[in-house]
Amino acid sequence: MCTVAYTFFMINKMLHIILGIFATSTLQSSSQQAEEINRLLNYFFWAAGFILLVVAVLTAYMVIKYRRREGVTNAKKQLNKKWEIAMIGVPSLLVALFFYLTIKTMHRVLPPAEGKNPDVIVIGHQWWWQTIYPTHHVISANEIHLPAGKTILIQLQSADVIHDWWIPQFGNKMDAVPGNENDIWLTIKKPGVYIGACSEFCGAQHAGMRLRVIAQDQQDYDKWLAAQQQPAAISQDTLIQSGAQLFAQYTCGGCHRINGTDANGEAGPDLTHIGSRKTLLTGLMTNNPHNLMQWLKDPQKIKPGVHMPDFFLDEHSLKALTAYLTALK
Ligand code: CUA
């Protein structure tokens, strides 16, 4: 069992070395927590490697030394007592050592939140992520902005079924369970875009429920938060105005929120600043007018099973709604 697990780990480690910078790998530590976990993993790697080597060498030695030979009988010999004690003692000590190291790492990576208020609340929905920044009264969706170089507390919740937060490079993986609040601590080392995925099967679009974290330095992060606090800016352009009317007419606001308008639904992603996002649908598509229009035209085609209904929009409605949403910067 140990050998099988070790072989898989070896393959992962080799792939990591070969693919290096191209791979989004658990072995890349982009957070302090991932660094702790990977340090522990390295201890396991070298200890298991050493044991594997010792066992392999001894096995080979025994096979050769005690092979069947003409006229030689290997007399039954009682095993030396000292060896027997060592054979039980050394593995027991190793198990105890690794138990201690594992507990220690767990405490460092996931200390109890003890009633501390989360910096960010991430809520899993079928099949998108809602983000709430409680102290700044900001609600956003799908592109999860977080500060780099600072330890933050993220609280995970779910609106429907169990989802799971996992960004391999951050190390920590945590379920979002309905009716429950799970916390993780995260210290992202450098600004950048980090990709992960929902890692608990949650229905038809589980595979399409990606995670996209945009880590920014404090200054950019504060700037982003300030921009998110602003209500949606809606211009007087005729096409955009027509789009705003259609948005109300089709009751899109029953599911979507656009801060500063009557739309205040929370069943679907917040759209207040959708025009400023780089991607659509948890990162499945680049955010541009063409893709947005394709999505509005036939949501089921792009994301089969999605809860967004098809409104059978005509060409003018598609153009007007696209113009309206694109302008929500
Ligand atoms: Cu959400 Cu899988």
Coordinates of all heavy atoms in Angstrom, one line a residue, residues 124-129 160-164 197-203 205-207 209, ligand 1:
G124 N -20.6 28.8 -2.2 CA -20.8 28.0 -3.4 C -22.3 27.9 -3.8 O -23.1 27.7 -2.9
H125 N -22.5 28.1 -5.1 CA -23.9 27.9 -5.6 C -23.7 26.9 -6.8 O -22.7 26.8 -7.4 CB -24.4 29.2 -6.2 CG -24.8 30.3 -5.2 ND1 -26.0 30.6 -4.9 CD2 -24.0 31.1 -4.4 CE1 -26.0 31.6 -4.0 NE2 -24.8 31.9 -3.7
Q126 N -24.8 26.3 -7.2 CA -24.8 25.5 -8.4 C -24.9 26.5 -9.6 O -25.9 27.1 -9.8 CB -26.0 24.6 -8.5 CG -25.8 23.3 -7.6 CD -26.9 22.4 -7.6 OE1 -28.1 22.8 -7.5 NE2 -26.7 21.1 -7.7
W127 N -23.9 26.8 -10.3 CA -22.5 26.4 -10.4 C -21.7 27.7 -10.5 O -21.2 28.0 -11.6 CB -22.3 25.4 -11.5 CG -23.0 24.1 -11.2 CD1 -22.6 23.1 -10.4 CD2 -24.3 23.7 -11.6 NE1 -23.5 22.1 -10.3 CE2 -24.6 22.4 -11.1 CE3 -25.3 24.3 -12.5 CZ2 -25.7 21.7 -11.3 CZ3 -26.4 23.6 -12.7 CH2 -26.7 22.3 -12.1
W128 N -21.6 28.4 -9.4 CA -20.8 29.7 -9.5 C -20.5 30.0 -8.0 O -21.0 29.4 -7.1 CB -21.6 30.8 -10.1 CG -22.9 31.1 -9.5 CD1 -24.1 30.4 -9.5 CD2 -23.2 32.2 -8.6 NE1 -25.1 31.0 -8.7 CE2 -24.6 32.1 -8.2 CE3 -22.4 33.3 -8.1 CZ2 -25.1 33.0 -7.3 CZ3 -23.0 34.2 -7.2 CH2 -24.4 34.1 -6.8
W129 N -19.6 31.0 -7.9 CA -19.2 31.4 -6.5 C -19.6 32.8 -6.2 O -19.4 33.7 -7.0 CB -17.7 31.4 -6.4 CG -17.1 30.0 -6.8 CD1 -16.6 29.6 -8.0 CD2 -16.9 28.9 -5.9 NE1 -16.1 28.3 -7.9 CE2 -16.3 27.9 -6.6 CE3 -17.2 28.7 -4.5 CZ2 -16.0 26.6 -6.1 CZ3 -16.9 27.5 -4.0 CH2 -16.3 26.4 -4.7
D160 N -26.7 25.6 -1.6 CA -27.5 24.4 -2.0 C -26.9 23.1 -1.6 O -27.3 22.5 -0.7 CB -27.7 24.5 -3.5 CG -26.6 25.1 -4.3 OD1 -25.4 24.6 -4.1 OD2 -26.8 26.0 -5.1
V161 N -25.9 22.6 -2.4 CA -25.3 21.3 -2.1 C -23.8 21.5 -1.7 O -23.4 22.6 -1.6 CB -25.3 20.4 -3.3 CG1 -26.8 20.1 -3.8 CG2 -24.5 21.0 -4.5
I162 N -23.1 20.4 -1.4 CA -21.7 20.5 -1.0 C -20.8 20.9 -2.2 O -20.9 20.2 -3.2 CB -21.2 19.3 -0.3 CG1 -22.1 18.9 0.9 CG2 -19.8 19.4 0.2 CD1 -21.7 17.6 1.6
H163 N -20.1 22.0 -2.0 CA -19.1 22.3 -3.0 C -17.7 22.2 -2.3 O -17.7 22.0 -1.1 CB -19.3 23.8 -3.5 CG -20.6 23.9 -4.2 ND1 -20.9 23.6 -5.5 CD2 -21.8 24.4 -3.7 CE1 -22.1 23.9 -5.8 NE2 -22.7 24.4 -4.7
D164 N -16.7 22.5 -3.0 CA -15.4 22.4 -2.3 C -14.4 23.4 -2.9 O -14.2 23.4 -4.2 CB -14.8 21.0 -2.4 CG -13.6 20.8 -1.6 OD1 -12.5 21.2 -2.0 OD2 -13.7 20.2 -0.5
A197 N -10.6 24.6 -8.9 CA -11.9 24.1 -9.3 C -12.7 23.6 -8.1 O -12.1 23.3 -7.1 CB -11.8 23.0 -10.3
C198 N -14.0 23.6 -8.2 CA -14.8 23.0 -7.2 C -14.4 21.5 -7.2 O -14.4 20.9 -8.2 CB -16.3 23.2 -7.5 SG -17.4 22.3 -6.4
S199 N -14.2 21.0 -6.0 CA -13.6 19.7 -5.9 C -14.6 18.7 -5.2 O -14.1 17.8 -4.5 CB -12.3 19.7 -5.3 OG -11.4 20.5 -6.0
E200 N -15.8 19.0 -5.2 CA -16.8 18.0 -4.7 C -17.9 18.0 -5.7 O -18.5 19.0 -6.1 CB -17.3 18.6 -3.3 CG -18.3 17.7 -2.6 CD -17.7 16.4 -2.1 OE1 -16.6 16.5 -1.4 OE2 -18.3 15.3 -2.3
F201 N -18.3 16.7 -6.1 CA -19.3 16.6 -7.2 C -20.6 17.3 -6.8 O -21.2 16.9 -5.7 CB -19.5 15.1 -7.5 CG -20.5 15.0 -8.7 CD1 -20.2 15.4 -9.9 CD2 -21.8 14.5 -8.4 CE1 -21.1 15.3 -11.0 CE2 -22.7 14.4 -9.4 CZ -22.4 14.8 -10.7
C202 N -21.0 18.2 -7.6 CA -22.2 19.0 -7.1 C -23.3 19.2 -8.2 O -24.1 20.0 -8.2 CB -21.7 20.4 -6.7 SG -20.8 21.3 -8.0
G203 N -23.3 18.2 -9.2 CA -24.3 18.3 -10.2 C -23.8 18.4 -11.6 O -22.6 18.3 -11.8
Q205 N -23.0 20.7 -13.7 CA -21.9 21.6 -14.2 C -20.8 21.6 -13.2 O -20.0 22.6 -13.1 CB -22.5 23.0 -14.4 CG -23.1 23.1 -15.8 CD -22.0 22.9 -16.9 OE1 -20.8 23.1 -16.7 NE2 -22.5 22.3 -18.0
H206 N -20.6 20.6 -12.4 CA -19.5 20.5 -11.4 C -18.2 20.8 -12.1 O -17.4 21.6 -11.7 CB -19.5 19.2 -10.7 CG -18.2 18.8 -10.1 ND1 -17.7 19.5 -9.0 CD2 -17.3 17.9 -10.4 CE1 -16.5 18.9 -8.7 NE2 -16.3 18.0 -9.5
A207 N -18.0 20.1 -13.3 CA -16.8 20.3 -14.0 C -16.6 21.7 -14.5 O -15.4 22.1 -14.8 CB -16.7 19.3 -15.2
M209 N -17.4 24.3 -12.8 CA -17.4 25.3 -11.7 C -16.0 25.5 -11.3 O -15.4 25.0 -10.3 CB -18.2 24.7 -10.5 CG -18.5 25.6 -9.4 SD -19.7 25.0 -8.3 CE -19.6 26.2 -7.0
Ligands
CUA1 CU1 -19.6 22.9 -7.0 CU2 -18.6 20.8 -7.7

